[in-house]
Amino acid sequence: MEQGNNVYSIEGVQDFFPAHVFDCGQCFRWQRQADGSYTGIAGGRIANVSFLPYEENADSGRLRVVSFAGGCADDSAAEMNFWRTYLDLDRDYGNIKRTLCRGDHVMKKAVKVGWGIRILHQELWETIVSFIISQNNHIPRIKGCIENLAICFGEPIGSLMGKTWYDLPSPEKMAGLTVEDLAPVKLGYRAKYLIETAQVIVQDGLPRNAQQLAALPGVGPKVAACILLFGMGQYEAFPIDVWMARVMHQLYGVEEKDRRAMEIYASQHFGRLGGFAQQYLFYYMKGLDQR
DNA sequence: CGGCAGGCGGTTA
DNA sequence: TAACCGCCTGCC
């Protein structure tokens, strides 16, 4: 372990599992390590997150965060608080799961598979950039694009696990770039969206509601729903992509290409917990696909 | 090689 | 307002 790192252990954590949290499609800057832990960057901090159940199949265990605070001159308590918030550790997911599963056999199976999912408190700018890039793209390529964007145009934060980590470029930095500048990042037609969105944000500030969000170039209904859910704490948001459309049709019997009917179904059955429902169902469907 | 993927924006009718 | 279609890129 490198010098200057802080280690935090949180005991008695339930409903948390790194692979479920970091591999359910909500974030793109966390990398799986050989031991099943994840290393990534958030809020200008680099960390490795692992979970050790107290015994095999135990429903609680020890959550461990090894962190390099980088430029953030936090004291220990403030940094620990940052990670508690970022990882959403103070929310009762047991209660959420019980509510969602009541009378829903599909959800019971989904929650059994992705029992350790939590919705991260990601920075708004990062979620905007990430999900504009995500459109019409596969996860590995989305991760590659974001990584390259950070390396080429972002600031170095520090190193952890033998690697230097870079923050994303700020809106100001991005607003000053051209499509030609961004060519090495291979964002394709999304580069233009990113630059124009950055320019709007430099002028008007970050979006504060769904309407301002939808006005950003490259932000349509699906991308907006993801940003609302992952970056703005709007937990009723229910992003419907091709995978969720499959879930709604194949598992809930909603008409195949009727997105409106799917939104109505989600609103009526999942309500304010729509975003949590979406994550369990999405992770479940992706797992089914891999068999 | 044509088709397609965590869609969007612009153009039609 | 619904239905098409082109789009960068990478991968089958």
Side-chain angles (χ1 to χ4, degrees):
Chain A
M1 208 180 302
E2 288 112 314
Q3 285 190 334
N5 293 341
N6 298 317
V7 181
Y8 306 101
S9 286
I10 303 172
E11 302 290 346
V13 172
Q14 301 182 45
D15 308 310
F16 184 99
F17 192 68
H20 299 165
V21 173
F22 298 114
D23 243 354
C24 67
Q26 64 175 321
C27 58
F28 304 100
R29 300 219 66 193
W30 290 84
Q31 300 173 359
R32 186 183 176 87
Q33 308 298 132
D35 63 357
S37 69
Y38 281 73
T39 305
I41 180 167
R45 301 162 174 83
I46 311 154
N48 174 263
V49 177
S50 56
F51 178 75
L52 285 93
Y54 290 136
E55 51 194 272
E56 205 174 335
N57 296 324
D59 67 348
S60 72
R62 173 188 300 148
L63 175 64
R64 189 162 170 272
V65 180
V66 179
S67 165
F68 177 84
C72 298
D74 288 353
D75 59 45
S76 178
E79 203 197 335
M80 173 119 162
N81 192 51
F82 169 83
W83 290 110
R84 284 199 74 93
T85 301
Y86 179 75
L87 298 170
D88 203 27
L89 296 181
D90 294 316
R91 191 183 308 276
D92 184 354
Y93 278 74
N95 191 35
I96 291 171
K97 290 191 273 191
R98 279 191 297 278
T99 304
L100 285 174
C101 287
R102 206 165 292 144
D104 187 331
H105 297 291
V106 172
M107 190 63 74
K108 279 176 188 161
K109 284 189 268 187
V111 161
K112 203 168 178 177
V113 174
W115 57 269
I117 287 174
R118 282 177 187 250
I119 295 182
L120 300 169
H121 288 237
Q122 300 184 70
E123 282 181 295
L124 182 49
W125 170 239
E126 179 177 329
T127 47
I128 290 170
V129 171
S130 297
F131 286 94
I132 285 177
I133 292 173
S134 82
Q135 65 184 78
N136 223 17
N137 247 163
H138 297 274
I139 291 177
R141 215 175 88 74
I142 300 166
K143 286 182 173 174
C145 287
I146 295 172
E147 170 101 355
N148 285 334
L149 186 60
I151 291 172
C152 293
F153 300 103
E155 298 297 321
I157 296 300
S159 60
L160 190 73
M161 315 292 271
K163 190 178 137 126
T164 300
W165 295 77
Y166 292 80
D167 225 337
L168 282 180
S170 65
E172 290 75 16
K173 171 91 178 184
M174 190 90 83
L177 298 176
T178 64
V179 172
E180 292 73 39
D181 293 331
L182 285 170
V185 186
K186 299 187 183 301
L187 296 166
Y189 58 87
R190 304 162 196 85
K192 184 170 177 283
Y193 296 152
L194 236 39
I195 294 166
E196 291 175 359
T197 282
Q199 289 168 349
V200 172
I201 287 173
V202 167
Q203 190 167 1
D204 301 343
L206 287 161
R208 289 179 300 280
N209 54 50
Q211 194 185 347
Q212 292 175 358
L213 183 57
L216 297 173
V219 177
K222 190 273 176 182
V223 170
C226 287
I227 296 168
L228 285 166
L229 178 57
F230 303 128
M232 298 173 80
Q234 306 271 306
Y235 296 106
E236 75 281 4
F238 190 81
I240 302 174
D241 55 19
V242 293
W243 293 94
M244 282 310 295
R246 277 171 211 164
V247 168
M248 300 312 285
H249 176 240
Q250 292 174 19
L251 305 182
Y252 285 108
V254 180
E255 185 56 39
E256 189 157 12
K257 53 190 187 76
D258 192 345
R259 295 294 168 106
R260 181 82 191 110
M262 293 173 184
E263 284 170 13
I264 291 168
Y265 186 98
S267 148
Q268 289 178 345
H269 291 260
F270 310 132
R272 66 188 175 82
L273 299 179
F276 301 101
Q278 195 268 2
Q279 288 290 278
Y280 291 120
L281 293 170
F282 180 82
Y283 188 80
Y284 179 55
M285 196 61 178
K286 295 286 271 192
L288 289 181
D289 185 65
Q290 286 174 7
R291 291 170 205 159

